[in-house]
Amino acid sequence: SPTCHYPPPPNPPLIPPAAPPPPARGARPDRGAATMPGVVWFGLISGGLVTVGLIFALQIRRTARELILAGLFSALIAFLLFLIWDFDAPYSRGIAATAGPFEALFPGAGK
């Protein structure tokens, strides 16, 4: 059988080592300002009001089931507007998200 006198090359690592994050990444939460202009907010809120108004205005019967569905749809629109509002400026709403719980579970992660 043929033989080879050269040693096999070393295998490269599967995952390259992670570099520490740049200092600018730590300053991002301080610059978190609203990103959606007022015109977009006006369109979202007025569109939601028109949609809910049309649901109530164009109903033929006012049964309990239709009122419950219209109320649930109104609550869905309000919840989605709240999500858009919250995600618009995630770091400037007063809810502090720290790395404390993560560092408590993984004490060697920061080194």
Side-chain angles (χ1 to χ4, degrees):
S1 71
T3 59
C4 181
H5 300 292
Y6 296 108
N11 293 334
L14 294 177
I15 301 173
R25 179 177 276 179
R28 285 183 190 164
D30 299 332
R31 294 189 321 252
T35 57
M36 291 181 60
V39 175
V40 175
W41 279 112
F42 176 75
L44 286 172
I45 293 173
S46 61
L49 290 175
V50 167
T51 303
V52 171
L54 286 176
I55 286 175
F56 285 111
L58 298 178
Q59 284 182 345
I60 298 171
R61 297 179 306 267
R62 299 279 178 153
T63 63
R65 180 174 49 185
E66 290 175 349
L67 289 175
I68 289 173
L69 286 174
L72 288 174
F73 188 69
S74 303
L76 174 68
I77 289 177
F79 177 69
L80 291 175
L81 283 172
F82 169 74
L83 281 181
I84 293 170
W85 173 79
D86 190 41
F87 290 149
D88 185 34
Y91 297 111
S92 64
R93 302 279 186 233
I95 300 173
T98 63
F102 182 79
E103 291 172 349
L105 289 174
F106 304 103
K111 298 175 181 150

